[in-house]
Amino acid sequence: VHGDSKYQYIMEGKKPKISYTDLAVQETSNEALTSKSYAASIGYFDDPFIKMMSKSKPKKMYPIINRGTWVRVHSYRRVLEPFIAAEGFKQVISLGAGMDSTFFYLRNKYPTAKFRYIEVDFPEIVTKKVGVMEKNPALAKLKEDPTCYSITSCDLRELERLSEEFVKLKVDKTAPTLIMTECVLVYMDPKSSKDLVQWCGTYFENSALLNYEMINPSDSFGKVMVSNIEERGCKLLGIYEYGTFEQQKGRVLPAFSKVEITTLLEYYTKYADKAEKARVEKIEFFDEYEEWNMLLSHYCLVLATKGTVAITF
């Protein structure tokens, strides 16, 4: 374990060679940061820490992107916040965390909650994020207790190494644990992503997996979506193998015992808070309803659970 005692992170071995595809996937971390920073800056959701993760002023985004970002954030918070606020100790594992600021949002909002937050990503992302945190007093203050937060570098395709990192970090296998993969698995080859999901369900006795990613690649909208994303060098290696609800279920079972799946469109119409939706819909002029419905129907949320963890949408 290297670095200041306030920060528990692991950076071992020589710098690995990075493929063009991995570099493109890493860039999606910056894209998510840009989208979330701008949406937060104009009032879609509260997160005073997201802007601290970026050196530049938030770039203006289209209203449809801002609304989509709000649904993405809202859906994760709907699952995550009751889990954090519940009695007793619990863990959150964010795989492919990027420059996400969720830990700081949660630690600030729930100062007495007993939880540990662990992030895993490529070495380059971890180095960048640790550098940002070390230079920002507001971020550092929320992380003074190293038992509350850890960040480590690991290729998620290397499960033996990931297991070793969790042992070094003394991650609890029995505590209630929420594992988050936010637009991560779809960039992995099908076998690697299934192996990772099955490993998670086996490693943690009482756990839930919350996954968000693109689906339905074979209709006309899906083909354009895949083409646009892959033109940027980001190959959606898993979208055809896991492009339907049944295929998504097949990836999480039997490691997890129960699974719920919804499109973002169904989530927005069925689960999202009505008062919040009414507030959000007044922020910007919006008339792209046909495209909005198609866009949200091509993203899914998967919530799989096992053991004593019984959370839902």
Side-chain angles (χ1 to χ4, degrees), residues 173-239:
K173 291 185 177 183
T174 62
T177 301
L178 175 58
I179 305 145
M180 302 191 301
T181 51
E182 189 177 349
C183 217
V184 172
L185 301 179
V186 73
Y187 293 115
M188 301 173 68
D189 68 87
K191 183 180 184 306
S192 292
S193 73
K194 184 170 184 176
D195 287 349
L196 175 62
V197 169
Q198 293 292 310
W199 179 87
C200 287
T202 303
Y203 193 88
F204 296 101
E205 295 179 16
N206 304 294
S207 57
L209 174 75
L210 179 59
N211 180 46
Y212 157 87
E213 66 184 23
M214 309 80 158
I215 55 168
N216 298 330
S218 300
D219 61 21
S220 56
F221 186 92
K223 290 176 181 177
V224 173
M225 174 184 70
V226 172
S227 176
N228 288 341
I229 293 171
E230 294 195 341
E231 279 180 2
R232 308 201 309 267
C234 297
K235 297 294 183 181
L236 300 178
L237 300 177
I239 196 167

Side-chain angles (χ1 to χ4, degrees), residues 148-197:
C148 289
Y149 177 83
S150 300
I151 183 168
T152 188
S153 61
C154 185
D155 188 323
L156 297 175
R157 294 164 293 198
E158 299 176 7
L159 297 180
E160 186 175 343
R161 169 77 190 280
L162 184 60
S163 182
E164 291 171 357
E165 297 299 323
F166 280 6
V167 170
K168 290 176 184 177
L169 292 173
K170 298 181 180 179
V171 175
D172 192 333
K173 291 185 177 183
T174 62
T177 301
L178 175 58
I179 305 145
M180 302 191 301
T181 51
E182 189 177 349
C183 217
V184 172
L185 301 179
V186 73
Y187 293 115
M188 301 173 68
D189 68 87
K191 183 180 184 306
S192 292
S193 73
K194 184 170 184 176
D195 287 349
L196 175 62
V197 169

Side-chain angles (χ1 to χ4, degrees), residues 23-179:
L23 282 172
V25 171
Q26 290 181 33
E27 181 58 29
T28 65
S29 170
N30 293 327
E31 294 171 2
L33 176 60
T34 299
S35 298
K36 290 180 179 180
S37 294
Y38 184 72
S41 73
I42 60 174
Y44 274 89
F45 54 88
D46 177 47
D47 188 343
F49 305 100
I50 189 72
K51 62 183 178 182
M52 299 178 192
M53 291 291 174
S54 177
K55 295 180 181 179
S56 57
K57 183 179 178 181
K59 179 183 176 183
K60 186 174 182 179
M61 309 297 287
Y62 290 112
I64 193 170
I65 300 298
N66 297 328
R67 284 200 182 192
T69 299
W70 174 81
V71 179
R72 177 176 176 172
V73 172
H74 186 280
S75 63
Y76 266 68
R77 289 184 178 180
R78 182 181 173 92
V79 174
L80 187 53
E81 292 195 40
F83 178 75
I84 290 295
E87 295 272 333
F89 174 76
K90 71 285 294 183
Q91 296 175 140
V92 177
I93 313 285
S94 182
L95 301 178
M99 299 301 290
D100 186 60
S101 58
T102 299
F103 165 75
F104 303 99
Y105 166 81
L106 292 172
R107 186 76 280 168
N108 183 63
K109 186 172 181 179
Y110 302 97
T112 62
K114 298 177 181 179
F115 71 94
R116 185 182 183 194
Y117 202 98
I118 299 139
E119 296 185 328
V120 183
D121 214 315
F122 284 112
E124 295 74 20
I125 299 293
V126 170
T127 300
K128 179 182 178 181
K129 192 166 191 176
V130 168
V132 169
M133 293 186 292
E134 288 180 333
K135 293 176 183 178
N136 193 303
L139 299 179
K141 184 177 181 180
L142 287 168
K143 293 170 44 314
E144 288 179 341
D145 183 354
T147 64
C148 289
Y149 177 83
S150 300
I151 183 168
T152 188
S153 61
C154 185
D155 188 323
L156 297 175
R157 294 164 293 198
E158 299 176 7
L159 297 180
E160 186 175 343
R161 169 77 190 280
L162 184 60
S163 182
E164 291 171 357
E165 297 299 323
F166 280 6
V167 170
K168 290 176 184 177
L169 292 173
K170 298 181 180 179
V171 175
D172 192 333
K173 291 185 177 183
T174 62
T177 301
L178 175 58
I179 305 145

